[in-house]
Amino acid sequence: MTVDYRSVADKKLAVEGHAQLLVIGAGPAGLAAAIEGAQRGLSVVLIDENPVPFETMGESVPLHFGGRVGGAARNRNAMMEAMLESAPAIADAFELGVDVRLGTACWGLYANGANLGWMPAPLAGLADEENGTHLVSFERAIVATGRRDMGLAFPGWEQPGVMGASAAVQLATRYGALDGSRAVVLGSTAEALLAALTLRESGVTVAAIIEQAAEPVGPADLVVQLRAAGIDIHCGEVVRAVEADLNGVSGAVTRSGTILCDLIVLGIGAVPMVDLLDAAGCRLAFQAERGGYTPLLDADGRTSVEVIQAVGDCAGIWPAKSRDATVAEAEARHAVAAVAASLGVVGEGTAPAPPPGEAAYDIGAYRKDWVRASIIEAVGEPYVCQCEEVTAREILEVRPPRYLNWQAADNRERTLAAILGEGPPNPDQIKRLTRAGMGPCQGRRCREQVQALLALQSAVPLGAVPLAGYRAPVRPLTLAAAAPKNEDPAFGEQWDSWFGMPRQWVPFWDVDDEYTVASLAVEKPHASE
Amino acid sequence: MPASEIREPEGRGASVVVVGGGVTGLSAAWWLARAGVDVLVIEKGIVGWEASGRNGGGCSHHHSPLFAEEQRLWPLMDELLGYPTEFQPNRIRIALNEKQLALYSRAVVNARHQGFLIDEIDAKQVRELVPLAGDNVFAGHYYHFGGHANPHRTVQGYAWGLQDLGGRIMQHTAVTGFAADGGKVVAVETDKGNFGCDHLVLAAGPQTGPLAAMLGLDIPMKVARAEMIVTEALPLMPLGGVDGNGLYGRQTLRGNLAYGGGPHEWVETEQLPGGARPSTPLMQSIAKRVAELLPLAGHAKIIRSWAGLIENTPDGRPVIDRPEGWDNLTVATLSGVGFGLSPATGHAIQQLVTDGACSFADLSTLRLARFARLEPDWAALQGWQPMAMAS
């Protein structure tokens, strides 16, 4: 058979290592999966990006750390020890023979499928300080990447001290490296209320909880618990402005006054961390009862990509699960039983984990209401996309980015409605035109806000707005670090700017009247464009 | 046919229906609207969503009969469209070794043949012009023509410009068939109803072949996937149109480095609907070459990789033609190299539709009839076949 040597057909990817079961994320779900896998006799590699290098945390990766990573996080050994201490099950997994790799990020998952067939096996792109960037093959992957926090713009939200609830809790409880002592928490979701309680237990003073709705939306018993602890929930309020000094946030300004604080903790939406799943091509859908865009899973936690499963928060967040880690752990064990069965390893089945009940409140309406109250009704125009400095108005009017300094020649207005046509507003299209979400944080801070803005503007439910897509690498990777260390020489030998076709770039005055494959026997000067 | 002979639209149709809201179809429709023709674009998804909006943005196709018109139009496009394209003139192509320099030198011959200027510059000159270049430069070429533009913005500019002139675009509308009467296409059938037309333009990228087949026309093509990467923004170089070392691409006006190149993968056309456009670890090999091309950008973070699906004719050259057997049909596939040429392509298609011939370029090398004696198993003979998938 003829081979197109300019294609991928004869190129070999350098794969360094193999896992029968690759588990991504060593939180409760990931650890339960790894341990269950080892106990069932599978060869398991468990990776977790934590502890994330100090500089990377400073860039709010993977969570919205908001410039509040304390100096303790500079000491990598201490961070590693703190992480091991915070999760004794990591040691258990290690004892059981799991290949545990901490400080190892997964920036891409790849599996052959539609329009892709050249890879030798399912692959994971990993990166760590010791081994750099490398590919590992796997038979099954269980993604347990957890959650992050929905961003929310208000004037001053770029100040150090405005951070995600998950980020604040992680710094406070796992690393003892939260640089702040007095918090205002935004949102009254179960996750926000739990974060407030956890921060309080960690020695942080919770000055107030601010809720734009008329009543808290989280579980009543948590509300009672917080109020008993003397924490006020200010309903019908948003942060109108931030008072700041050289260290960042010094107060949160609301209609009823300024609350002194050095932390403003965003708890309006715990968001399943689906970046890796989406970039891998797993089908996602907006599932309100699961906290937003989450993978479509079968009863065994399998995504639409057969070799990839999802468990824990990245598969769905709901109050009962947020309050009780055994739910995520049960999901993990059930998924591993399915992995074992699919790989022909005999073992007992497990009971499925309890599914989410009906959502206690309408998260779509809740998030839209927050965005309306905090951004659209803001005094001033905060940047929704901090990386590219794009305001809500610029997003909704689909304005070319400011660096173009573009002035329309006449009164033509190109608002969202003008490009909608017959379909729903598409955040990826808005992103391409306004650059909102196109910065180095890869839209982690603005994605859900843009979704809510588009839903508000076009008067559709939040879930009717598609997810702005994620693309590998879903973690920061420099050009130099990404370069493959052991590239197959065939890449270099046959590399061409484009397809390397013999006749494509022949100048038009030198082209034959007819084209046949046989005519290629006559060589013409090769060009490359 | 002269525009005056094109009848008023019937029902919801238009004088000219353009199937395909990519850069070629939109430019053609925009030019038709400029010529006063009532035009409707039918697009299965979102305008410019596929390869039209995902490419390197280069505008220097000196091998093409449309080159002179491409060069004439790009500096005018912002004004003509009324929307920004981010077009930036000129290009520097860097060779890191003698072999690359020889390969890239064909451009010098082609440009000079047509009265355009390329300077041969040495390594020191390259480094002076390209602050991110390194000690590994062998030599380079400075094109006093060409350049690059922003594909997303340009595609939307065509769409908006078209609408400003009264043209219509139907997105999320899939063509299911055609109605013909004798040698004329009289209507386009879609999942949203039928649209009458006096003339049909097929410019649907990878779908052009299957659509033409519904009209009994064989436009041979195969589809492949190609990949690109983009970094975070870096300080602007004096000239953004810098590529070479086996890469095409540019520094965008925002400062990001956007580059592609390297091996493609042939894929099944049948798998096109459904939208999977997976990128692969090829990202790493592209990154390696960007870091070689611009070593002082090695610290730049990659913020995205992506892939596009591209149709290719057997010789890799466009088909822009009014095929025999149909009185009122124009077909256009740019064989994967459509963005940069689009201002000129649209103009040529407009003239083919309204005048029957192109006044400013000789399109004879782009005729469909050149494949009349093509081997039936041409794709296999060229190795253009999808890989058997690993389990």
Side-chain angles (χ1 to χ4, degrees):
Chain A
M1 195 185 96
T2 312
V3 173
D4 174 7
Y5 287 104
R6 306 292 184 155
S7 78
V8 292
D10 65 331
K11 313 294 186 294
K12 304 267 182 298
L13 287 164
V15 178
E16 293 159 43
H18 178 77
Q20 196 175 22
L21 172 61
L22 173 67
V23 180
I24 300 156
L31 277 165
I35 287 170
E36 179 76 17
Q39 286 172 337
R40 285 175 181 266
L42 300 173
S43 94
V44 182
V45 175
L46 170 65
I47 66 158
D48 194 293
E49 62 191 316
N50 294 294
V52 173
F54 179 74
E55 297 71 25
T56 309
M57 292 174 89
E59 293 165 0
S60 279
V61 176
L63 301 177
H64 189 170
F65 292 112
R68 277 294 188 256
V69 184
R74 286 182 192 277
N75 183 335
R76 192 141 182 86
N77 288 337
M79 292 282 279
M80 193 67 86
E81 272 174 39
M83 176 151 179
L84 291 170
E85 268 175 40
S86 73
I90 296 176
D92 299 343
F94 186 77
E95 294 282 310
L96 283 164
V98 174
D99 179 351
V100 181
R101 303 182 193 175
L102 302 182
T104 300
C106 181
W107 44 264
L109 279 179
Y110 302 97
N112 286 338
N115 295 322
L116 168 55
W118 73 293
M119 298 189 304
L123 299 174
L126 306 184
D128 66 73
E129 286 196 326
E130 201 177 319
N131 303 304
T133 306
H134 56 286
L135 295 175
V136 167
S137 60
F138 61 87
E139 287 167 56
R140 293 290 184 277
I142 290 186
V143 176
T145 43
R147 66 166 73 161
R148 58 178 177 77
D149 304 291
M150 173 173 170
L152 180 73
F154 43 81
W157 83 294
E158 69 286 351
Q159 285 290 342
V162 178
M163 64 190 308
S166 311
V169 166
Q170 188 187 86
L171 288 177
T173 61
R174 181 185 279 169
Y175 298 127
L178 177 60
D179 184 11
S181 59
R182 196 175 157 82
V184 164
V185 175
L186 303 197
S188 63
T189 61
E191 292 73 26
L193 301 181
L194 289 166
L197 286 167
T198 306
L199 289 173
R200 183 170 178 274
E201 283 160 24
S202 309
V204 175
T205 302
V206 178
I209 293 172
I210 292 181
E211 172 53 59
Q212 58 74 33
E215 296 290 335
V217 297
D221 64 310
L222 292 179
V223 172
V224 168
Q225 213 177 320
L226 282 156
R227 284 184 171 146
I231 297 171
D232 275 344
I233 303 181
H234 301 214
C235 289
E237 286 279 9
V238 296
V239 175
R240 289 265 162 240
V242 169
E243 288 189 353
D245 56 26
L246 285 176
N247 297 316
V249 173
S250 63
V253 180
T254 69
R255 265 194 314 236
S256 47
T258 298
I259 308 166
L260 293 181
C261 62
D262 53 9
L263 299 169
I264 297 177
V265 175
L266 306 177
I268 66 165
V271 178
M273 183 108 76
V274 296
D275 45 8
L276 204 49
L277 294 163
D278 186 47
C282 303
R283 294 224 326 260
L284 307 178
F286 189 87
Q287 302 182 78
E289 71 283 10
R290 289 179 175 268
Y293 274 99
T294 36
L296 291 168
L297 302 175
D298 71 6
D300 296 327
R302 216 173 273 117
T303 69
S304 63
V305 178
E306 201 189 344
V307 296
I308 299 175
Q309 289 169 262
V311 298
D313 280 353
C314 72
I317 297 171
W318 59 90
K321 192 171 170 185
S322 292
R323 299 183 73 166
D324 181 1
T326 65
V327 177
E329 289 163 356
E331 286 179 354
R333 283 192 277 270
H334 189 63
V336 173
V339 166
S342 71
L343 296 177
V345 177
V346 181
E348 283 178 27
T350 58
E358 224 170 274
Y361 62 98
D362 180 344
I363 72 156
Y366 180 74
R367 292 178 185 177
K368 280 162 65 175
D369 287 346
W370 262 106
V371 165
R372 181 193 295 116
S374 183
I375 306 175
I376 296 180
E377 294 168 5
V379 180
E381 293 196 42
Y383 296 136
V384 171
C385 170
Q386 288 190 23
C387 296
E388 298 290 319
E389 303 190 337
V390 190
T391 66
R393 182 197 296 268
E394 287 165 334
I395 291 167
L396 296 177
E397 295 183 355
V398 201
R399 287 219 199 128
R402 247 170 268 160
Y403 64 85
L404 286 179
N405 202 15
W406 180 260
Q407 297 295 326
D410 46 39
N411 291 328
R412 277 179 290 206
E413 283 207 2
R414 283 303 170 191
T415 58
L416 191 57
I419 61 169
L420 290 186
E422 316 247 314
N426 188 306
D428 279 323
Q429 192 178 18
I430 302 304
K431 176 171 96 177
R432 290 168 166 202
L433 295 170
T434 65
R435 299 201 62 84
M438 283 191 116
C441 96
Q442 300 175 315
R444 270 186 275 270
R445 289 178 297 187
C446 70
R447 190 177 257 96
E448 290 75 28
Q449 300 181 70
V450 173
Q451 180 192 9
L453 282 169
L454 296 180
L456 284 166
Q457 180 79 357
S458 35
V460 296
L462 188 64
V465 177
L467 178 73
Y470 291 93
R471 292 284 179 181
V474 299
R475 291 293 178 272
L477 200 57
T478 67
L479 289 170
K485 283 188 294 292
N486 302 303
E487 188 185 73
D488 175 2
F491 281 91
E493 286 156 17
Q494 297 294 340
W495 190 279
D496 201 307
S497 311
W498 196 235
F499 281 63
M501 298 173 196
R503 293 293 190 265
Q504 184 157 32
W505 309 117
V506 171
F508 66 92
W509 56 88
D510 198 19
V511 170
D512 299 335
D513 287 345
E514 287 199 330
Y515 178 81
T516 59
V517 183
S519 71
L520 296 178
V522 179
E523 285 199 23
K524 300 207 177 205
H526 186 68
S528 171
E529 289 302 325
Chain B
M1 102 186 50
S4 58
E5 290 180 22
I6 295 179
R7 286 175 289 132
E8 285 302 302
E10 297 171 0
R12 297 188 294 163
S15 292
V16 178
V17 172
V18 177
V19 175
V23 75
T24 302
L26 288 170
S27 176
W30 175 70
W31 278 101
L32 284 160
R34 281 168 61 82
V37 177
D38 172 41
V39 61
L40 168 68
V41 176
I42 294 176
E43 161 57 43
K44 70 173 169 21
I46 295 174
V47 290
W49 197 244
E50 302 283 356
S52 294
R54 298 170 185 235
N55 56 78
C59 310
S60 46
H61 300 95
H62 42 73
H63 67 292
S64 169
L66 295 165
F67 172 62
E69 182 71 354
E70 175 192 48
Q71 297 310 308
R72 182 182 79 82
L73 287 170
W74 267 114
L76 308 175
M77 288 308 286
D78 282 16
E79 202 185 326
L80 291 176
L81 289 171
Y83 298 95
T85 64
E86 298 190 24
F87 172 72
Q88 297 292 298
N90 303 338
R91 176 185 186 189
I92 294 171
R93 204 162 186 219
I94 300 174
L96 298 186
N97 53 53
E98 200 168 359
K99 194 177 152 203
Q100 286 181 354
L101 188 68
L103 200 56
Y104 298 167
S105 293
R106 183 76 214 181
V108 182
V109 179
N110 288 0
R112 286 183 186 156
H113 181 92
Q114 297 171 89
F116 287 84
L117 181 62
I118 293 181
D119 292 336
E120 287 156 319
I121 53 179
D122 63 23
K124 185 165 164 288
Q125 289 170 303
V126 169
R127 280 191 290 272
E128 282 167 7
L129 291 162
V130 183
L132 296 174
D135 295 336
N136 57 346
V137 174
F138 183 75
H141 292 131
Y142 189 104
Y143 294 26
H144 293 271
F145 62 87
H148 59 96
N150 178 326
H152 303 153
R153 226 170 282 295
T154 303
V155 168
Q156 195 66 54
Y158 281 125
W160 282 338
L162 166 65
Q163 289 172 328
D164 290 340
L165 294 168
R168 289 174 294 149
I169 301 171
M170 289 198 62
Q171 300 185 110
H172 307 286
T173 304
V175 172
T176 55
F178 301 98
D181 183 7
K184 287 177 81 85
V185 183
V186 294
V188 178
E189 299 164 355
T190 79
D191 58 359
K192 298 209 175 130
N194 297 346
F195 298 88
C197 63
D198 296 312
H199 196 106
L200 172 67
V201 175
L202 281 185
Q207 305 290 350
T208 308
L211 288 168
M214 293 181 185
L215 293 166
L217 279 176
D218 179 20
I219 303 181
M221 58 171 61
K222 288 288 169 188
V223 178
R225 199 192 66 247
E227 305 187 30
M228 290 191 73
I229 66 172
V230 65
T231 72
E232 62 185 324
L234 298 173
L236 287 182
M237 298 192 286
L239 187 77
V242 174
D243 59 8
N245 190 38
L247 300 166
Y248 60 90
R250 71 199 211 277
Q251 182 179 38
T252 69
L253 268 189
R254 175 70 181 89
N256 313 79
L257 304 176
Y259 287 95
H264 48 274
E265 177 173 355
W266 297 103
V267 300
E268 291 288 356
T269 312
E270 290 69 26
Q271 291 180 348
L272 275 171
R277 304 288 181 263
S279 60
T280 75
L282 184 66
M283 172 187 85
Q284 294 187 262
S285 291
I286 299 173
K288 168 182 153 75
R289 284 160 182 81
V290 178
E292 290 165 358
L293 177 74
L294 302 171
L296 300 186
H299 66 284
K301 296 189 197 81
I302 306 168
I303 55 175
R304 274 188 303 285
S305 61
W306 70 94
L309 295 183
I310 294 150
E311 83 279 18
N312 293 273
T313 65
D315 58 1
R317 308 178 68 84
V319 172
I320 301 175
D321 199 4
R322 289 187 58 160
E324 283 175 31
W326 292 97
D327 294 340
N328 63 341
L329 173 67
T330 302
V331 294
T333 158
L334 269 288
S335 193
V337 188
F339 175 74
L341 287 167
S342 65
T345 310
H347 195 192
I349 293 169
Q350 173 250 307
Q351 291 194 349
L352 282 184
V353 172
T354 56
D355 309 341
C358 177
S359 66
F360 56 84
D362 174 7
L363 302 184
S364 60
T365 56
L366 307 182
R367 280 184 315 221
L368 181 58
R370 70 181 186 273
F371 298 125
R373 294 199 299 151
L374 183 70
E375 297 88 341
D377 56 345
W378 64 274
L381 290 172
Q382 300 192 142
W384 290 16
Q385 288 179 310
M387 309 193 47
M389 208 181 292
S391 57

